[in-house]
Amino acid sequence: WLNATEPALEGRRAQGFAPVYYPATSHVQSAQSVQVEFENGVTGVDLTFAASSTARVTGRALNAAGDPLPGRVALATSARSRGVAGEPRFARIERDGSFELADVPSGDYVLHALGERGPGVPPEFGSEYITVAEVDTPPVTIRTALGATLEGRFVADGRRPLPLRVQVLHAAPLDPDRSPPDGRGPEGLAVHDDGRFYLTGLFGSMRLTYPAPAGWYLKSLTIAGVDVTDEVYDFGFGDEIISGAEIVLSYTGARIAGSAFDLSDRPAIEFAVVAFSASRTHWFTGSRHIRWATAGPNGSFEVDGLPPGEYFVAALDALPPGDWQPEALEALVQRATRVTAREGQVHTTTLRLNRR
């Protein structure tokens, strides 16, 4: 091998210090897991750092007009590689549009160019696939785009006034390689007093989700008359304006209420309840078919704002942190109570408390 200062005709091969995963590998898919039990410590988890074959990734990031992009680039493991994704790496884009990432181990990656965000500055985005071997990659040029804009209207179903100032709409990417990894919204969402809205910076296949305020639920979401409630919509990769969206919200959602008993048949006081759809196709982040609530002071609970349908309901002594993942919901199915929730009605039930 050649050291970092020795040129080679087929490229520059270098030794560097790439990120290290336990016990001593620069590839996350080769890392070993560490089991940590609650309230217990783990010792002997030593990391061994050593020089390994790495490469530089360089290039330029240009905006939609072809000028240097103010912002940064992110290097992440490509989803198409089916490898275990580690934390992305970031680099600043210089004034001339150039960027550089050093000490990159071999693998299949995607480069994201992320434009700066601010008042009056649209959030441009672009991506390019790269494969890194043991020599420096050829310079990469990333050209960003403004993305599509969705225009439409929030509509209240019924006479209750719609709280327009608290409206939030999120577009979650289905292809993390070709869309902004965090999706869009509430940043980029503007709502007018008459319910009109627009959401900017939409790329590729995305699912629109609505985190409803207390008591409300998303009844339907259509784009140009096509029902996309709980569905995926392809926004493309241009700067198209997509109009005719209608988001219908209702205050007459189904409610599930009741109480819980512990394993000793005593009324439970401190617990949480999660209600989730009996259809596994609705188990995704931000789903309107997954809602939870904590018990009140008297040990009763009420989960509101649910679309009508079949649900599993489970009482837990503690809620797991973060979003509900399909694996977590699947583990609750056998211990949950199945109920039918109808619009505008309250279904009352008694639950058995589950210990996590």
Side-chain angles (χ1 to χ4, degrees), residues 1-328:
W1 55 271
L2 305 175
N3 66 32
T5 62
E6 293 175 325
L9 294 178
E10 73 278 10
R12 188 181 68 89
R13 182 175 297 178
Q15 293 284 301
F17 289 92
V20 174
Y21 301 90
Y22 176 76
T25 177
S26 60
H27 299 283
V28 65
Q29 61 267 27
S30 301
Q32 297 180 17
S33 61
V34 177
Q35 185 68 34
V36 181
E37 302 293 340
F38 184 66
E39 294 185 343
N40 289 328
V42 179
T43 60
V45 182
D46 300 325
L47 291 170
T48 301
F49 286 82
S52 59
S53 296
T54 61
R56 285 189 314 151
V57 175
T58 61
R60 296 188 72 207
L62 306 176
N63 63 17
D67 300 319
L69 177 76
R72 59 180 181 164
V73 295
L75 178 75
T77 302
S78 168
R80 69 178 183 174
S81 71
R82 300 187 183 277
V84 180
E87 290 295 318
R89 298 178 57 186
F90 296 91
R92 176 186 173 185
I93 300 172
E94 302 298 334
R95 294 177 63 89
D96 62 353
S98 65
F99 63 85
E100 176 178 334
L101 294 122
D103 295 334
V104 178
S106 60
D108 290 318
Y109 297 93
V110 62
L111 268 171
H112 288 165
L114 308 167
E116 289 182 351
R117 301 174 180 179
V121 179
E124 298 197 23
F125 170 82
S127 65
E128 289 290 340
Y129 290 110
I130 63 167
T131 296
V132 176
E134 294 183 355
V135 296
D136 292 348
T137 62
V140 181
T141 299
I142 308 176
R143 185 74 172 261
T144 62
L146 296 172
T149 297
L150 180 67
E151 294 183 344
R153 183 183 299 272
F154 285 100
V155 177
D157 179 32
R159 296 183 178 180
R160 184 178 290 265
L162 187 64
L164 292 173
R165 293 186 178 274
V166 297
Q167 298 311 307
V168 176
L169 186 65
H170 184 253
L174 272 294
D175 183 352
D177 283 355
R178 305 195 67 196
S179 300
D182 296 329
R184 286 294 288 162
E187 191 173 32
L189 175 68
V191 183
H192 299 278
D193 291 339
D194 61 356
R196 291 181 299 113
F197 76 88
Y198 63 85
L199 178 63
T200 62
L202 304 174
F203 292 85
S205 296
M206 307 184 92
R207 180 186 281 118
L208 295 166
T209 60
Y210 173 77
W216 291 85
Y217 86 100
L218 171 64
K219 189 169 185 177
S220 67
L221 196 162
T222 58
I223 299 178
V226 178
D227 188 357
V228 296
T229 317
D230 306 320
E231 301 296 332
V232 175
Y233 189 86
D234 188 357
F235 291 97
F237 295 94
D239 57 358
E240 181 182 2
I241 297 177
I242 301 170
S243 58
E246 184 175 80
I247 300 174
V248 180
L249 309 177
S250 176
Y251 202 78
T252 59
R255 303 186 181 206
I256 302 173
S259 57
F261 289 83
D262 62 20
L263 297 179
S264 302
D265 288 328
R266 292 175 300 190
I269 302 299
E270 295 183 357
F271 62 95
V273 172
V274 58
F276 55 103
S277 174
S279 173
R280 288 164 174 78
T281 60
H282 293 149
W283 295 2
F284 53 83
T285 300
S287 172
R288 64 192 182 123
H289 299 270
I290 304 173
R291 301 202 74 163
W292 62 272
T294 55
N298 61 352
S300 64
F301 72 87
E302 180 177 279
V303 183
D304 63 6
L306 291 167
E310 296 287 321
Y311 288 88
F312 292 115
V313 190
L316 306 169
D317 59 347
L319 284 174
D323 292 319
W324 285 97
Q325 300 296 323
E327 296 80 6

